[in-house]
């Protein structure tokens, strides 16, 4: 099944949520929380991400995790991930308890598509200190897609992970998972890259992104996703394709904020001041732009828009 069919199916079956000027969303993708071993690429950014989550929680944002939050391909036992990053899950639980967590599954945590798996691993966990089971995300329902609809303008924004239609990471995900878990995971530690991943393969990444743009062109729906690990924010005359990037790069954690009927891309990273002290800084790298600027159905010259192919860090 190609990207056109898979994205369309995700769009048609998406969980619908209405938003307005007062709504606030922060979208991150590809966190890839691991077990804190040498193969856990998220571990180096854990402190930054913990600060970031607390920042948005205090400001009342809804957190949308757009797929691949937990690295379940490498570590099927979620317990090891939870224990390795328990501080992160404490904050995530605050979001969940406040009805401000939207968990979308991607290819690396596609196990969340299985209700039995979710109930067994995500609803509760055993607290060894108190020797009893306690709630984590009791009753959570991970989704494949989230469709935001504006209460006034009826503008639609589709949020998915972005693996839909990527053959080796979608239909044949089990093969990719086994190769990663028992082969590429260990080679990656010594410097080899997995060619099946669009995050590691430039040709594959561009092919996937071209398919996203074709879908936007045909269906006239603004799209936000992850998967390729490459941050995207459309420039003038670009199709409204946004990509959150990933949370495992050493150069920072990019994310997309939607608030006050505007959208912008931000970057969080550790910086050293003139006084020698290290601090975590938030920088707006693109935007803010009015959200209705990307309402495809109201853009007069929509057919003249071109694919969005440039990396924001390359400009």
């Amino acid at each position: 099944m190609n990207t056109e069919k898979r994205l369309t199916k995700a769009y048609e079956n998406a969980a619908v949520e209405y938003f307005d000027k007062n709504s606030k969303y922060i979208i991150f993708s590809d966190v890839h929380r691991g077990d804190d071993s040498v193969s856990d690429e998220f571990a180096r950014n854990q402190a930054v991400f913990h600060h970031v989550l607390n920042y948005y929680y205090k400001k009342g944002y809804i957190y949308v995790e757009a797929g691949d939050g937990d690295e379940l391909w490498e570590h099927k036992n979620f317990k090891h991930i939870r224990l390795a990053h328990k501080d992160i899950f404490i904050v995530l639980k605050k979001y969940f308890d406040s009805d401000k967590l939207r968990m979308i599954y991607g290819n690396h945590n596609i196990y969340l598509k299985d209700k039995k798996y979710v109930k067994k691993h995500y609803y509760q966990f055993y607290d060894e200190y108190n020797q009893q089971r306690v709630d984590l995300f009791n009753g959570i329902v991970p989704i494949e897609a989230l469709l935001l609809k504006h209460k006034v303008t009826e503008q639609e924004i589709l949020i998915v992970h972005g693996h839909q239609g990527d053959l080796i990471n979608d239909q044949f995900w089990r093969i990719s998972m086994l190769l990663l878990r028992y082969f590429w995971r260990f080679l990656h530690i010594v410097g080899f890259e997995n060619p099946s991943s669009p995050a590691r393969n430039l040709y594959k990444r561009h092919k996937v992104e071209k398919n996203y743009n074709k879908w936007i062109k045909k269906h006239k729906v603004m799209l936000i996703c992850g998967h390729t690990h490459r941050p995207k924010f459309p420039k003038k005359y670009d199709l409204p394709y946004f990509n959150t990037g990933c949370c495992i790069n050493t150069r920072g954690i990019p994310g997309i904020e939607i608030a006050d009927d505007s959208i912008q891309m931000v970057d969080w990273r550790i910086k050293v001041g003139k006084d020698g002290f290290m601090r975590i800084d938030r920088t707006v790298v693109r935007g803010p732009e009015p959200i209705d600027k990307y309402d495809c159905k109201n853009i007069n010259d929509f057919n003249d828009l071109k694919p969005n192919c440039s990396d924001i860090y390359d400009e």
Side-chain angles (χ1 to χ4, degrees):
M1 193 179 294
N2 60 24
T3 302
E4 158 64 25
K5 292 180 180 178
R6 285 287 288 113
L7 271 181
T8 301
K9 184 178 180 181
Y11 168 73
E12 293 173 346
N13 296 303
V16 178
E17 185 165 320
Y18 290 89
F19 75 104
D20 57 22
K21 185 176 182 179
N22 298 315
S23 303
K24 294 190 288 187
Y25 293 88
I26 174 61
I27 308 166
F28 291 113
S29 180
D30 296 270
V31 184
H32 291 282
R33 291 180 290 267
D35 64 351
D36 203 24
S37 66
V38 291
S39 66
D40 184 357
E41 295 180 283
F42 169 71
R44 58 183 168 229
N45 286 333
Q46 177 181 253
V48 177
F49 195 68
H50 183 264
H51 170 79
V52 169
L53 286 179
N54 275 312
Y55 170 89
Y56 287 113
Y57 180 77
K58 291 175 182 177
K59 289 187 173 292
Y61 277 72
I62 291 174
Y63 172 41
V64 180
E65 192 161 84
D68 287 4
D70 297 316
E71 183 47 76
L72 297 177
W73 273 13
E74 290 188 24
H75 318 287
K76 186 177 181 180
N77 192 337
F78 171 70
K79 174 184 176 181
H80 298 154
I81 298 174
R82 181 185 58 77
L83 288 173
H85 302 294
K86 58 184 179 181
D87 290 345
I88 298 295
F89 285 99
I90 288 173
V91 185
L92 289 177
K93 179 169 171 53
K94 291 197 295 184
Y95 277 94
F96 177 76
D97 290 343
S98 302
D99 193 27
K100 292 183 179 296
L101 176 63
R102 309 290 182 264
M103 188 173 287
I104 296 173
Y105 58 80
N107 51 311
H108 281 254
N109 61 346
I110 201 169
Y111 286 105
L112 300 190
K113 189 176 181 180
D114 184 345
K115 294 180 181 179
K116 292 182 180 179
Y117 183 93
V118 174
K119 184 176 182 179
K120 179 180 179 181
H121 296 280
Y122 281 75
Y123 277 22
Q124 296 181 324
F125 66 93
Y126 184 73
D127 185 338
E128 295 182 356
Y129 181 80
N130 294 307
Q131 296 186 342
Q132 62 180 0
R133 293 191 65 80
V134 296
D135 287 348
L136 183 58
F137 308 134
N138 200 346
I140 192 171
V141 180
I143 55 178
E144 181 179 9
L146 176 65
L147 185 65
L148 299 181
K149 285 191 176 184
H150 199 282
K151 293 179 181 178
V152 178
T153 66
E154 298 185 350
Q155 178 182 0
E156 294 183 335
I157 304 172
L158 179 64
I159 307 175
V160 294
H161 177 58
H163 66 289
Q164 289 82 358
D166 182 1
L167 188 65
I168 195 67
N169 289 299
D170 191 7
Q171 286 83 8
F172 297 151
W173 69 267
R174 289 180 177 83
I175 296 175
S176 290
M177 180 269 292
L178 291 173
L179 287 172
L180 177 62
R181 185 177 295 176
Y182 300 111
F183 184 66
W184 286 113
R185 173 188 175 188
F186 303 101
L187 290 183
H188 177 58
I189 294 174
V190 294
F192 290 91
E193 303 290 2
N194 181 359
S196 69
S197 169
R200 313 293 185 185
N201 186 317
L202 187 62
Y203 168 77
K204 188 174 182 64
R205 181 191 301 168
H206 286 168
K207 182 179 179 181
V208 169
E209 290 173 344
K210 286 179 181 178
N211 289 334
Y212 297 159
N213 281 282
K214 287 180 181 178
W215 188 87
I216 296 169
K217 191 88 170 180
K218 179 177 180 179
H219 296 273
K220 296 185 177 181
V221 176
M222 175 179 164
L223 179 66
I224 301 176
C225 60
H227 189 51
T228 65
H229 291 201
R230 190 158 77 144
K232 295 279 189 176
F233 196 101
K235 296 180 292 185
K236 191 175 182 180
Y237 305 123
D238 282 349
L239 286 165
Y241 159 51
F242 296 76
N243 196 299
T244 60
C246 70
C247 298
I248 60 175
N249 285 333
T250 56
R251 62 183 179 182
I253 296 178
I256 293 176
E257 296 177 1
I258 297 176
D260 196 28
D261 274 351
S262 296
I263 186 169
Q264 61 186 9
M265 176 160 279
V266 296
D267 180 84
W268 291 86
R269 65 179 64 195
I270 295 176
K271 294 182 180 179
V272 181
K274 294 181 180 179
D275 54 6
F277 287 99
M278 300 175 69
R279 63 182 184 275
I280 300 173
D281 272 357
R282 168 183 170 274
T283 303
V284 177
V285 294
R286 189 67 66 79
E289 296 287 351
I291 199 78
D292 60 6
K293 176 181 178 180
Y294 305 103
D295 188 350
C296 302
K297 296 175 182 177
N298 292 322
I299 299 176
N300 294 328
D301 55 351
F302 178 79
N303 291 327
D304 296 328
L305 299 183
K306 63 182 186 300
N308 177 11
C309 298
S310 58
D311 187 325
I312 63 165
Y313 291 123
D314 294 337
E315 299 172 6

